[in-house]
Amino acid sequence: MSPEPLQTLYWEDDSLFLLDQRLLPGEIRYLQCRTVADVVTAIKEMVVRGAPAIGISAAFGVVLAAKEAGAAGGGLSGLQEAITALRSARPTAVNLDWALRRMERRLEHAAGGTCEEVVDALAEEAQAILDEDILTNRKIGAHGAALIPDGASILTHCNAGALATAGYGTALGVIRAAVAQGKHLHIYVDETRPLLQGARLTALELLREEIPATLVTDSCAGYLISAGKVSLVIVGADRIAANGDTANKIGTYTLAVLAQRHEIPFYIAAPCSTIDLSLEDGRGIVIEERDPAEVTMFNGQKIAPAGIDALNPAFDVTPAELISAIITERGLLQRPDRAGLKNLLTKGER
Ligand code: MRU
């Protein structure tokens, strides 16, 4: 029997426990965050990563900030500063802002209560965000599985699995749901340079559940797709603009172009909390630039000559016209566009 999926994060003993994803696949170790500063650092340093998982972590960060403020005896005055620090920990995934807004709304409602009451209300809200995320991913899986033919071979990039969420995953959730329906799939996993989320995390998730998978270098995608070895591409998302342009891990755009060139579907699987109607199109999405040392170093070893310039954007934007469908908890949006996305967000469950 395959083991339970790894638990990305949980709340216990007034602390947030994060599976330290920097150590995977070699070691399973949880980092205990006792303060909001611990959570900000964990998000920045990618102890926890993946759009939904960083949103949930930030929500618990607000709980810790409220506890600290209460313990310091100064009321909740310092809380906004902590929320700002959480909000700016990573810039691209809108789920961070979405979760913090939700916490701010709860804070507003709870204001007037004692510090203890406010902390309890915030802890309840953060836990609700976590619990809902798993249900959301199961719905994404159920909707998306309808798009996956039996016998498909699927290319995925980065990690949009249980490890990027509270559990089950978005793109990997669709794969899990299709496998649960008895479909036979083969997954090609892009290693995802420079931080290797595909090789370290997606490969681990698939292996633990015995879903047939093959690890490939990122530069292998064109070869595989042109050789007819890939039936479809499915990935997650960090922010979807109002017109459907989608930011995801660097290298995603390349896959979408390849998919169009070779006439195979390119799917995005993401919760509605990843949709940002405040941005007209993908040009407004801030792309995180990470330390160039992630490119020039590997495992603490220099892999490039000292003095070479290196660029390390963590995400890119795929134009909506290259996306065959966006799979959300509310249903599928084929050929996403402005009207379709607006409709999806304003309508109830489909
Ligand atoms: O830099 P990361 O590892 O946080 O990037 C993660 C991704 O790009 C994921 O594909 C995205 O967040 C969706 S996770 C369900």
Side-chain angles (χ1 to χ4, degrees):
M1 207 178 69
S2 40
E4 282 294 297
L6 296 162
Q7 198 172 356
T8 307
L9 73 180
Y10 60 92
W11 178 255
E12 201 175 274
D13 296 335
D14 288 338
S15 299
L16 176 65
F17 286 82
L18 296 172
L19 177 58
D20 191 339
Q21 300 197 23
R22 299 168 304 179
L23 306 176
L24 293 173
E27 192 182 337
I28 294 179
R29 194 200 300 168
Y30 284 83
L31 181 83
Q32 184 173 8
C33 297
R34 295 184 177 86
T35 65
V36 64
D38 290 345
V39 179
V40 172
T41 306
I43 294 173
K44 282 188 175 160
E45 296 184 355
M46 294 177 69
V47 170
V48 62
R49 32 67 51 200
I54 62 176
I56 300 161
S57 302
F60 282 109
V62 177
V63 183
L64 290 170
K67 278 179 68 67
E68 286 171 67
L76 297 170
S77 51
L79 213 52
Q80 204 48 52
E81 205 179 307
I83 292 175
T84 304
L86 286 163
R87 187 167 267 129
S88 55
R90 290 191 76 191
T92 304
V94 72
N95 309 61
L96 184 60
D97 180 61
W98 173 88
L100 288 170
R101 279 174 197 263
R102 202 167 139 172
M103 295 301 284
E104 283 169 327
R105 282 197 298 273
R106 186 65 186 255
L107 185 59
E108 251 175 64
H109 281 120
T114 63
C115 259
E116 228 174 34
E117 284 164 350
V118 172
V119 170
D120 286 349
L122 291 174
E124 191 183 278
E125 191 69 17
Q127 188 62 46
I129 294 174
L130 185 156
D131 294 339
E132 285 167 26
D133 185 60
I134 302 174
L135 294 175
T136 294
N137 295 336
R138 290 205 169 259
K139 287 181 190 164
I140 291 172
H143 290 302
L147 295 171
I148 311 292
D150 188 20
S153 75
I154 300 176
L155 178 63
T156 191
H157 191 64
C158 193
N159 173 266
L163 291 167
T165 62
Y168 204 66
T170 58
L172 287 195
V174 171
I175 289 169
R176 285 192 166 96
V179 168
Q181 290 174 351
K183 292 176 183 167
H184 297 91
L185 307 180
H186 190 93
I187 318 302
Y188 286 106
V189 180
D190 270 355
E191 62 176 354
T192 318
R193 276 277 294 153
L195 296 183
L196 303 180
Q197 290 93 330
R200 296 187 302 105
L201 311 176
T202 300
L204 180 65
E205 288 195 38
L206 294 172
L207 200 64
R208 282 170 65 94
E209 290 177 42
E210 297 175 9
I211 298 173
T214 303
L215 179 63
V216 291
T217 59
D218 300 330
S219 41
C220 191
Y223 164 79
L224 276 182
I225 294 176
S226 66
K229 291 185 190 296
V230 177
S231 339
L232 61 97
V233 179
I234 186 165
V235 295
D238 288 84
R239 195 182 291 243
I240 301 172
N243 71 337
D245 291 353
T246 295
N248 190 50
K249 181 52 57 195
I250 189 81
T252 300
Y253 170 53
T254 316
L255 299 181
V257 172
L258 279 167
Q260 187 194 48
R261 169 80 173 83
H262 295 279
E263 299 179 344
I264 59 170
F266 177 87
Y267 297 126
I268 297 285
C272 288
S273 53
T274 306
I275 301 169
D276 181 359
L277 292 185
S278 78
L279 294 182
E280 281 291 302
D281 56 47
R283 286 173 301 180
I285 300 177
V286 176
I287 300 294
E288 177 183 7
E289 288 269 351
R290 294 188 61 84
D291 187 348
E294 290 177 352
V295 177
T296 57
M297 309 277 291
F298 187 76
N299 252 350
Q301 299 279 319
K302 272 196 183 127
I303 55 166
I308 187 66
D309 188 34
L311 191 66
N312 190 14
F315 302 94
D316 60 24
V317 175
T318 298
E321 71 211 51
L322 297 181
I323 299 170
S324 312
I326 297 179
I327 307 160
T328 74
E329 70 275 28
R330 294 192 181 187
L332 305 175
L333 182 61
Q334 309 267 6
R335 294 278 153 216
D337 62 7
R338 204 174 292 279
L341 278 165
K342 200 166 170 207
N343 196 26
L344 187 78
L345 285 199
T346 48
K347 253 165 82 173
E349 193 118 336
R350 289 198 289 184

